[in-house]
Amino acid sequence: MIRPDAPVLLEICDLRASVEEQPILKGVNLTLRAGEIHAVMGRNGSGKSTLSKVLAGHPAYRVTGGSVLYRGDDLLALQPEQRARIGLFLGFQYPVEIPGVSNLEFLRVATNARRLEQGLEELDTFAFEDLVRERLQVVQMDPAFLERSVNEGFSGGEKKRNEILQMALLEPLVAILDETDSGLDIDALRIVAGGVNQLASADNATLLITHYQRLLDVITPDYVHVMAAGRILRTGGKELALELEERGYDWVDVEIERLEAAELEALAAAQGSRTPAEVG
Amino acid sequence: MTAAATVGDLVSQPYKYGFVTDIETEKIAKGLSEDVVRLISAKKEEPAFLLDFRLRAYQQWLKMEEPDWASIGHAPIDYQNIIYYAAPKQQVKKASLDEVDPKLLETFEKLGIPLSEQKRLSNVAVDAVFDSVSIATTYKEKLAEHGVIFCSISEAVKDHAELIERYLGTVVPSNDNYFSALNSAVFSDGSFVFIPKGVACPMDLSTYFRINSGDTGQFERTLIVAEEGASVSYLEGCTAPMFDTNQLHAAVVELVALDDASIKYSTVQNWYAGDENGVGGIYNFVTKRGQCRGDRSHISWTQVETGSAITWKYPSCVLQGADSVGEFYSVALTNNHQQADTGTKMFHVGPRTRSTIVSKGISAGHSSNSYRGLVQMGPKSVGARNYSQCDSMLIGDQAAANTYPYIRSQQPDASIEHEASTCRISADQLFYLQSRGIGFEEAVSMMVSGFCRDVFNQLPLEFAAEADKLLALKLEGSVG
């Protein structure tokens, strides 16, 4: 739902980041307003997943430039847990298993951390059980999963449902879902996408990171962004996804090559204008 | 900042119990000789049988050599440079707590073990041992109503000499090993528990050991006897001040369970571990063994080992009675330059005996943490079963974890299972928890608690919190 007057929740400006000194994001610009669903598409290695991890604050990624404002405040200055508490959520592509830590207890601690930040009362074990049982409906999940260790021995589909369950409990304002559709069969995809649709509202924004059109058949994006070589190359409506599906990504390569050639030229020109001493 | 470095910072919390109580102490001169053994025995006004026991042990010790097979290393110990007896100057054991030196009561209060009538723990009887002597035992009268004897071993030698003579040294013979021989020669104090036939001890019993003097060794001796059908749950805790020299702690614990008796023995060990460079700390060389003498008897060891520069201990079970059960649940956390070589021995003697071993080792810093365990199925152990599970968790990339399981079977109809695993707290796991709003420290603590849960579930309820608190102290900055 696009409303030009809706408040801006996330504003990414010329974001640059590297991992192990290798630049991955090379100037990403993106604005998310309340009520909007955005899809970021692109090939493997285009920087989509890096974008999601940088936003969530993964310690392996180093921000080298640009800014990210979350409701007007500097997001990048916050620890990952603080980002989560104020309403940023990352649904992982590969949720890790945490043996020995009970899923129920984990969900409760996480939910209470968020509630505390919102000025709400912490939920005790009983109150939380009521809440979690209600939210299980969102992803039609078996309560038996609450008794197990976090993601341990879960199938791919169960892990993704557990992610959306967490999202249902944490009620984020900005949800970034990284390849939520990967590894799901068509039924699981429907359930997970149904959950995402239920949770999307006029007050929050969703950023879907995906390879394929099939997720966008069930969750209709307001915007589609094509990412390549660490930046957003083109933005359009949902029809852009269909175009990608039809044409493939080859044209993206051509465009990126052209863009990078132009940049190199500009750089060379800038260096050429200096004196030789400065260059040396 | 890598996750490992931060976890490393977390586990290096200062030791809270490192203070020294300034109290007048009566000490004997450094060094060990037959005269010293006689002097200790004389100070404690012991009967002749005990002096003989000590002297025999001393002679055996002289002929023995310090064991070197454990996966630990330390500079040679100078046994002549240790004080073998130190006691706060308080001539007679006080009849009432009101007469105990307030400084001592204060010390234990500071350690979280209030002894005074008003403040003492409501459902746990405590024996408080300070250096070489027991200074107070709570709830003695109430326990006596049930026929339960709970007192210091020195008192027991005086008041219940026949029981001591009957049981002392029958589970751990004085010549069992180098340190048990040393302990048998010079042991100072410790606890004695006797639960008569058919009595379920009405409350948990606990001994708290405190080393205060800097150059003293602590050689405590604990003996627990549960007669037919009796049961008891017992916990020991221990701390010591911070000194830059190493101190020797060589204890012996013996448990005897007759037919249908059950003893649950839990330890939360937090001796001073030395500083971050490995200077100072306690050498914890301990022999603990329980004997399931009777049929259907049950002995369970639970230990949470977090302190000491070096830990060398293998709480064991001799499963003699038919259908007897032995259990060992252990969490050993090492950090900085700590070394732990710990595990258990399960001797299956009788038919259909069963044992369970669950060991969780956590190594951080430059520490080394080894599990060493023996499961032995004797020729008569028809239908005996053992299950062992040994898990190691590594924090950072400088720590070591080893597992040395020894299995010997002389009985084809016995079953032995052994499972082992090693894991590491990964940056991705931490990030996952953090990205759900859970702070870094809590995330580490959650994972470590989760890793140890099987063992913590075995601790008596009153002490599970203490163990959690202790790990939290080692792993978290904010929890106190």
Side-chain angles (χ1 to χ4, degrees), chain B residues 313-336:
Chain B
K313 80 183 251 205
Y314 315 90
S316 307
C317 295
V318 181
L319 303 170
Q320 205 168 299
D323 301 290
S324 59
V325 178
E327 291 171 324
F328 174 75
Y329 298 97
S330 169
V331 166
L333 171 74
T334 53
N335 190 18
N336 295 325

Side-chain angles (χ1 to χ4, degrees), chain B residues 110-261:
Chain B
K110 222 164 147 184
L111 296 168
I113 316 290
L115 298 170
S116 64
E117 294 280 343
Q118 309 86 324
K119 291 186 194 157
R120 65 191 187 183
L121 304 165
S122 61
N123 46 359
V124 185
V126 178
D127 184 22
V129 177
F130 190 90
D131 282 340
S132 302
V133 296
S134 161
I135 59 153
T137 310
T138 60
Y139 292 110
K140 270 169 90 167
E141 303 77 23
K142 190 175 169 201
L143 290 168
E145 286 168 24
H146 297 264
V148 171
I149 302 169
F150 180 39
C151 61
S152 72
I153 202 136
S154 314
E155 279 172 85
V157 166
K158 291 199 177 73
D159 303 341
H160 310 283
E162 73 297 342
L163 287 174
I164 299 293
E165 192 167 7
R166 194 187 319 160
Y167 289 108
L168 190 76
T170 61
V171 181
V172 178
S174 53
N175 63 352
D176 185 80
N177 66 69
Y178 187 78
F179 297 108
S180 69
L182 179 63
N183 173 287
S184 300
V186 301
F187 72 88
S188 39
D189 219 339
S191 297
F192 174 65
V193 175
F194 179 81
I195 317 287
K197 206 167 171 171
V199 172
C201 188
M203 58 172 65
D204 285 351
L205 307 181
S206 169
T207 302
Y208 197 92
F209 294 99
R210 173 72 177 172
I211 294 181
N212 190 57
S213 307
D215 37 12
T216 315
Q218 184 155 357
F219 305 94
E220 87 253 2
R221 185 96 194 183
T222 296
L223 173 61
I224 298 177
V225 179
E227 285 197 329
E228 291 84 351
S231 65
V232 64
S233 168
Y234 176 94
L235 181 118
E236 64 168 1
C238 22
T239 56
M242 298 190 270
F243 294 114
D244 54 8
T245 51
N246 294 109
Q247 282 173 279
L248 181 61
H249 170 254
V252 171
V253 174
E254 297 178 282
L255 313 182
V256 179
L258 303 185
D259 286 356
D260 300 295

Side-chain angles (χ1 to χ4, degrees), chain A residues 53 56-59 79-82 84-85 88-92 95-102 105-106 109-111 113 149-151 162-163 166 170, chain B residues 1-3 6 360 393 423-424 426-454:
Chain A
K53 296 232 168 76
H58 194 291
Q79 291 296 317
E81 60 267 30
Q82 291 168 304
R85 289 174 196 158
L88 184 90
F89 179 85
L90 170 61
F92 285 80
V96 290
E97 303 193 357
I98 307 182
V101 175
S102 127
E105 179 64 9
F106 157 67
V109 173
T111 305
S149 293
V150 179
N151 295 327
N162 204 30
E163 293 293 291
Q166 292 167 39
L170 297 173
Chain B
M1 183 163 57
T2 68
T6 354
K360 306 277 180 176
M393 180 183 260
C423 66
R424 191 182 283 281
S426 75
D428 281 333
Q429 286 171 320
L430 284 170
F431 178 63
Y432 188 77
L433 294 175
Q434 281 180 281
S435 75
R436 297 300 179 252
I438 299 167
F440 185 82
E441 296 185 0
E442 190 171 4
V444 172
S445 172
M446 259 175 120
M447 290 183 58
V448 171
S449 292
F451 178 72
C452 301
R453 195 165 51 174
D454 296 349

